[in-house]
Every structure is written in C-alpha cells, then in structure tokens.
Amino acid sequence: MKKFLNSITNNSIGILRKPVIFEIIQSVFQGQPFFVILLAVQELIKPLDGQGIDANRLYMLLAWLAASIVLLFFFGKAVYNMEHSAAYTIGSEGRLALGEYLRKLSMGFYKGRDPGDITALLLQDYSNIETMISNLLMAAIGAVVLPVVFFFFLLPFDWRLTLLTVAPIPLAGLGAFISQKIVMYTGTRHIKAKNEASSRMLEYLDGMKNIKAFNLQGEKFQRLHKAFDLLKRKSIQQEAVTGPSVILAVWILNAGIALVMLMGIKFLLVGTLSLGNFLIFLIVGTRMYDPLSKVMINFVELTYYSISGKRIRELYSVKPLPEPEKSNIPDKHNVEFEHVWFHYHDTDVLRDVSFRLEENTMTALVGPSGAGKSTITRLIARFWDVNKGVIKVGGIPLSNIKNEDLISRISMVFQDVYLFNDTILENIKIGNAEASPEEVRAAAVKARCHEFIEKLPKGYDTVVGEGGSTLSGGEKQRISIARAILKDSPIVLLDEATASLDPENELHIQDAIGELVKGRTLIVIAHRLSTITHANQILVLKDGEIAERGTHDELLQDSDGVYAGMWNEQRKAHNWKVGSKSYSGIIGK
Ligand code: ATP
C-alpha cells in the first residue's frame, strides 16, 4: 500500500498524513451524536423502571447534540478542503512529474504505445487518483474508524450482541475481496477499451483531412466504430459483473441487523438483556452498517480507480535511458560513430556504421528512402540508444553525458515542424526561454521570418493554432529555424525540407539555414543534391551501410557509384548545374 501511494503521490506520501489524521479524528467525533442519542434513550426508558423522565437533562442532551452537529459541520468543512487540496496537489504534481519522466524515456517507448493511452495516463488516470483520494479513500478510512468506535462503545452494554453486530463484517469483507478481484479484471479491460476509443478518436480528428477526402465518415471509419463498440460492451460487462457482488456484500451487512434483532429478542425473553440495552443496539448498533454499506458500494469504485494507480506505477517501471551520475561536459563538438549497429525492431537499420564529423564542417547524408539517414540524426540526439558500437560527442560517449547537457548542444530542424498553440514569440523562445524579445526578433530576422510575422495582425503576439495550423509549411519551417538560431548550439541536425516548397519560400529557407549553420558542426539530410555540392563530406547510405563517402567531386569520379547515379537522375529531372545555390555556397565556404 505504501509503495502504491508513493508511486501515485510521486514519493510525497507525507502530503496525505494531515488529511488522514483529521479524517480519523472526524470519524471518531461522528460517533458523538449516537452517544447523545444513547443517553437520551436511557432517559426515555426510565419510566419502565418506575422512574420519572428528567426533561432538563433531555434539553441539555439536545443542546449537546446541536452543538456537536454544528461543530462537525465546521470540522467536516475544514477536513473536506484539506482532503481535496491534497488530492489536487497530488494530481497536478504527479502529472508534472510523470510528464518529466516521459521526457526521459527512449522514443522506442512511444512507438509501442497508443497516444490515447499516454494522454489518458496524464489526464484520466490522475483524475481518477484525485477522486480516489479526495472521496473514496477518506470515506474508507471513516468507514473503518466509525465501527471500531462503535464496537468499544457498545461492548460494555452487552458483549454478546456487540460480537453479533460485528460478525457480518468479515463476511462482507470476503464479498468485497471477491468483487475487488473481479473489478480488477474487468476494470483493466474497460480502461484499455476506453483508451483505445480515445486513441481512435484522436486519430479520427488528426486525420480529418483524409477522412473527408476519402469519404471515410461515419460507419465507414471502421477503426473508430470498432473501438466504440468494444467500449460499449466492456462498459456493460463492467456494470454487470460488479453490481451483484456489491449487492451481496451490502445484503450480508443488512442481514446483521436481522441477526441482532433475532438474538436480542431471545436474550430479552430469557431475561439476560434489558429492554434499554436492546433498544440501544437496535437504534445505535445497526447504524454501524451505514458507513460500511456506503464503503462497500464505493469499494468497487475505489478498486476501479486503483487500476489507474497501477497503470501509473507500471509506467514508472519503464526504465529511462541510463544517464551518468555526474555529467561529462564535452568541450569539443565533433561527432563520431564507431561501428554502430541499430534496429528499431528485428531488422538492423544501421549496420557497422563508422564516420567522423569534424567541428565547423558540413556533412551531408544522402541515400534512398529508408536507408537510415534520419535514424543517424535521431541517434546523435539520443532519442534511442545504439545496440552495438558507440557514438561520441567531443570524444565522450553519449551515455556519459547527461541528456540535458547533450540536448543543449544540439539544434534540430525537422521536416515536420510542430508549433505549440501559443504566440509566435513563445514558439521561438522554445529555443531559449531566457531570450529577450529583441533577441527573438534578431533570430527571426536571421531566419527570414521577421517580415511575415510583422504583417500578422498581432505580430509576434499572434497565436498560432494547434501544431501551427494557421501558418504555411514554409513559414513554420522558418520559425523552427529561428528557434534553432536562438538556441545557438554548436551541433546542428537538419532535415532538409525544401523539396515541397515554392521557389520563394525555398529561397528564404536556404538563406535562413545559411545563418543557422555558420561555424557549427552541421549534419544535413539532403534530398536535393544541388544544395550539398560544397559539403566537406558526403556519406551515401544504402541499406543501413555507408556505401560511399567523399566530397561531391570525389564521389562523381565513380560514374557507376550510387551518388553519381543519384546526381545524374536529379540533374536530368531538374536541369541543375554544378555551382547553383547551396548551403555551403550561402555560408561562403
Ligand atoms: P527517408 O529519406 O524516407 O526519410 P531515411 O533514410 O531517413 O528515409 P529512416 O527514417 O532512418 O530512413 O528509416 C530507416 C528504416 O527504419 C526504414 O526501414 C524505416 O521504415 C525504419 N524506421 C524508421 N523509424 C522507425 C521507427 N520509429 N520504428 C520502426 N521502424 C522505423
């Protein structure tokens, strides 16, 4: 239990201490009104023994009852606030901690999980934890404490009836235990179906353009249909199997009332129980079941919600990429691949790849689609760890550099730029959160995006839609280059994205890239060979191996080589000439 609470509270279990203590105190005090009722019953049955009723005493008891109810209201309100504030603190801190943990995991983790499942972990599962802590867990504590108070309170009146009163509790507990097992089984499947449905919904919204284009709406979008159908079935199953076990547990408890009554009558008839004590058991003793019955019903919910805790714990058991205790900071920024082997699944994507990128040089990666070019850049940024061999920056293996120290030295410009649903200023500042608005502007000028930003209705304060949906592809790309310029890191990984752009945007982007790469270790995935003719080194990848390496001129020497073949093909297609504008041409090397 402690381990469970530690994992869902992000090891700050102490946050629950105060609300739990106050909940226990509150539960003990909740027994008070029953104590007052008991004294009132004793007073009211005095005429049976030939004594008169003391009305003053009854008024005093009434005043006590009123005072304790008022006190309980204020105490309860304070405890309620305390419990909810602890629950929401745990929820928000837990989500942030989990978000940070997710950042440390290898990208391989994300490939194996549905996005809806991860979203559910951060939103739905933590929301379940909040409800579990604020309502159910505390109610469960109350339901355990109150019967214990009642037990010791009733014991002096008649130990036999007291034992009979508590007798059904273990039996109902057994029912609860069985329903817990069932709920764990069906609940896990229900949550899985729910997350699957939310993944398919995300997919449906994300792919809306294609869904419209291919008329996949409604029933034709089978994946969404199937997911919601499964969710419906699992939801019905969930209710169907859990309901009866809860009803059984509550029924067992209620049977206790009948048992107390039956035995009470017997004891009364043989004269071993006074009428007064019998009434006490009937009025007060049976109230013991109220919180228990409530908790039996809530127990199913509590168990269901605890699956969320289990899911969070499971996620924490996925080990992040190992990092050194103490980071080794590279003082040089050359990059080396030494006999690197890598696979995403079973097939090797890189096979015995070795090369060296010197500081302040440009290396181009070229080769057919699927050859492993992007994989090389992802491995430099350590999105994955290599399977064999080693990658070094400044002579230090990546695994000996803390992730944040490595990433702070690398700028990445991807083809598929993602912008956050925030202002352009904030989107560029992702490169350097400390940058002043002037520095952001300067980076935007260099990235050739200042001009179009100024023309937007709110300039740098214009909010771009989710993913940057309100901007064109070329504009997004230039903003991502501004980010990278602002980051000012010594290694630049660039996935050339000019292929699908119009000539004007392409020119702007080429200029922007020229600014970005000045004096850095640059590795560029080149799709258009005309842009890399002046690269210091070109690595030609084929089937995960380096098939050829050299400068443009050296590679063209082998007229049967892969590079020469690619060059001739592209030249024919686009009628290029050697010496057209290239990155290195822009840099002036
Ligand atoms: P392109 O020019 O089309 O972008 P590329 O040379 O950059 O191709 P990579 O993206 O590195 O090629 O992919 C190399 C191989 O690895 C391909 O067969 C691809 O299908 C596979 N691959 C790439 N990313 C993943 C991934 N995340 N999970 C599984 N396989 C992957």
Side-chain angles (χ1 to χ4, degrees):
M1 185 69 177
K2 197 173 167 194
K3 223 167 134 190
F4 173 78
L5 287 174
N6 259 328
S7 60
I8 60 169
T9 60
N10 186 31
N11 291 325
S12 38
I13 193 171
I15 208 165
L16 284 175
R17 197 167 296 128
K18 207 167 138 197
V20 166
I21 292 172
F22 276 79
E23 179 64 42
I24 293 173
I25 297 172
Q26 179 180 242
S27 302
V28 172
F29 273 116
Q30 270 168 349
Q32 235 196 123
F34 297 107
F35 184 60
V36 178
I37 291 170
L38 169 93
L39 294 178
V41 170
Q42 278 183 328
E43 191 60 41
L44 288 167
I45 58 171
K46 270 184 181 169
L48 294 174
D49 295 332
Q51 297 174 40
I53 294 175
D54 183 347
N56 284 341
R57 191 172 147 79
L58 282 179
Y59 283 125
M60 265 174 58
L61 288 174
L62 183 66
W64 181 1
L65 187 66
S68 63
I69 287 171
V70 171
L71 206 75
L72 266 173
F73 169 76
F74 287 108
F75 195 77
K77 195 167 166 279
V79 176
Y80 181 89
N81 289 344
M82 213 183 278
E83 288 167 359
H84 280 78
S85 126
Y88 291 124
T89 306
I90 286 168
S92 85
E93 287 179 2
R95 284 181 177 110
L96 287 173
L98 191 68
E100 177 59 17
Y101 193 78
L102 283 169
R103 192 180 63 82
K104 293 181 184 163
L105 297 179
S106 136
M107 290 305 287
F109 165 80
Y110 296 93
K111 289 288 160 194
R113 304 269 302 227
D114 250 331
D117 191 44
I118 301 174
T119 317
L121 267 165
L122 287 164
L123 295 175
Q124 191 55 50
D125 285 306
Y126 266 107
S127 171
N128 289 350
I129 298 286
E130 284 165 354
T131 315
M132 189 174 103
I133 291 172
S134 59
N135 297 344
L136 307 174
L137 200 61
M138 295 304 165
I141 292 171
V144 171
V145 173
L146 204 57
V148 173
V149 173
F150 272 37
F151 178 79
F152 287 108
F153 173 69
L154 290 172
L155 207 55
F157 292 98
D158 192 295
W159 66 269
R160 297 163 306 172
L161 277 189
T162 307
L163 289 182
L164 279 172
T165 311
V166 295
I169 295 176
L171 222 68
L174 186 70
F177 175 76
I178 295 167
S179 66
Q180 185 199 23
K181 294 283 162 211
I182 300 171
V183 174
M184 277 310 240
Y185 180 81
T186 56
T188 308
R189 273 148 192 80
H190 182 239
I191 288 183
K192 207 168 152 215
K194 216 154 70 172
N195 296 342
E196 169 72 15
S198 100
S199 286
R200 296 293 72 83
M201 199 66 220
L202 284 175
E203 186 182 64
Y204 185 72
L205 296 175
D206 263 3
M208 191 52 84
K209 238 183 342 192
N210 289 309
I211 287 163
K212 275 176 176 290
F214 292 97
N215 197 22
L216 293 176
Q217 296 98 320
E219 288 199 13
K220 288 188 193 156
F221 196 62
Q222 283 294 328
R223 292 158 65 74
L224 186 70
H225 239 252
K226 271 191 197 153
F228 277 105
D229 189 52
L230 182 74
L231 178 60
K232 182 184 77 183
R233 278 186 285 119
K234 293 291 166 195
S235 301
I236 294 171
Q237 195 183 56
Q238 171 77 6
E239 291 302 327
V241 296
T242 53
S245 51
V246 175
I247 293 166
L248 180 72
V250 174
W251 182 85
I252 293 171
L253 282 178
N254 288 337
I257 303 175
L259 190 70
V260 169
M261 204 163 162
L262 177 75
M263 295 312 287
I265 293 169
K266 278 199 167 181
F267 296 150
L268 190 73
L269 291 178
V270 293
T272 54
L273 178 71
S274 72
L275 181 63
N277 284 357
F278 187 33
L279 282 175
I280 286 166
F281 274 92
L282 285 184
I283 297 169
V284 181
T286 50
R287 299 303 299 272
M288 185 195 280
Y289 301 127
D290 291 351
L292 276 173
S293 299
K294 213 169 112 196
V295 105
M296 286 298 167
I297 296 162
N298 288 346
F299 189 71
V300 170
E301 252 180 294
L302 188 74
T303 308
Y304 180 79
Y305 289 159
S306 74
I307 298 172
S308 290
K310 200 169 148 232
R311 279 166 44 80
I312 292 168
R313 228 179 43 213
E314 272 166 11
L315 193 133
Y316 274 116
S317 69
V318 179
K319 293 281 162 261
L321 292 175
E323 287 200 64
E325 287 282 307
K326 197 177 149 283
S327 191
N328 296 288
I329 312 278
D331 49 14
K332 291 204 162 203
H333 296 101
N334 54 319
V335 178
E336 291 157 274
F337 269 54
E338 291 175 5
H339 304 287
V340 168
W341 290 74
F342 178 74
H343 56 78
Y344 292 103
H345 300 299
D346 299 333
T347 324
D348 285 320
V349 170
L350 293 183
R351 285 181 285 163
D352 200 18
V353 170
S354 298
F355 60 82
R356 198 179 152 88
L357 317 179
E358 295 302 340
E359 276 187 324
N360 300 337
T361 64
M362 171 184 175
T363 298
L365 294 177
V366 301
S369 179
K373 305 180 292 291
S374 304
T375 304
I376 286 185
T377 57
R378 288 174 203 147
L379 292 181
I380 297 174
R382 209 179 170 214
F383 286 180
W384 273 270
D385 261 346
V386 300
N387 301 115
K388 241 196 284 176
V390 64
I391 303 174
K392 294 177 183 167
V393 166
I396 302 170
L398 296 190
S399 55
N400 289 349
I401 306 171
K402 272 198 187 256
N403 196 44
E404 57 189 68
D405 291 325
L406 176 69
I407 291 300
S408 69
R409 284 166 170 74
I410 298 176
S411 283
M412 284 168 277
V413 179
F414 300 109
Q415 279 199 43
D416 48 343
V417 180
Y418 187 85
L419 298 185
F420 294 93
N421 191 4
D422 203 339
T423 62
I424 291 192
L425 184 90
E426 290 305 322
N427 262 297
I428 298 179
K429 270 178 77 175
I430 284 173
N432 175 7
E434 309 295 321
S436 66
E438 290 69 37
E439 287 168 320
V440 171
R441 272 187 175 73
V445 170
K446 284 186 186 165
R448 308 292 189 267
C449 51
H450 175 73
E451 225 172 273
F452 90 77
I453 295 173
E454 287 285 87
K455 284 186 194 147
L456 293 172
K458 291 190 179 163
Y460 283 82
D461 294 325
T462 308
V463 175
V464 298
E466 183 78 37
S469 54
T470 54
L471 299 177
S472 78
E475 290 166 345
K476 280 197 282 184
Q477 182 98 46
R478 279 184 269 159
I479 287 182
S480 88
I481 294 171
R483 267 180 190 169
I485 290 176
L486 198 62
K487 192 170 174 188
D488 193 23
S489 49
I491 301 169
V492 176
L493 310 177
L494 175 66
D495 197 346
E496 184 197 57
T498 52
S500 60
L501 297 171
D502 60 81
E504 194 196 328
N505 248 322
E506 183 179 328
L507 205 67
H508 282 314
I509 288 176
Q510 296 285 3
D511 289 344
I513 289 170
E515 288 288 345
L516 170 65
V517 301
K518 275 179 186 159
R520 299 169 208 269
T521 312
L522 167 68
I523 184 158
V524 53
I525 298 175
H527 300 290
R528 298 175 333 118
L529 304 185
S530 65
T531 57
I532 50 140
T533 50
H534 289 84
N536 303 78
Q537 162 178 232
I538 298 170
L539 303 175
V540 185
L541 276 152
K542 201 173 164 219
D543 299 331
E545 288 178 346
I546 298 184
E548 292 166 20
R549 67 179 84 200
T551 60
H552 173 75
D553 293 334
E554 285 165 359
L555 291 172
L556 283 186
Q557 301 287 312
D558 179 5
S559 54
D560 294 330
V562 184
Y563 184 81
M566 285 171 68
W567 173 257
N568 288 330
E569 247 176 58
Q570 290 199 358
R571 204 171 51 156
K572 260 188 249 155
H574 302 284
N575 198 21
W576 285 335
K577 291 192 280 300
V578 178
S580 64
K581 202 169 191 184
S582 70
Y583 299 147
S584 38
I586 303 161
I587 309 162
K589 280 189 185 127

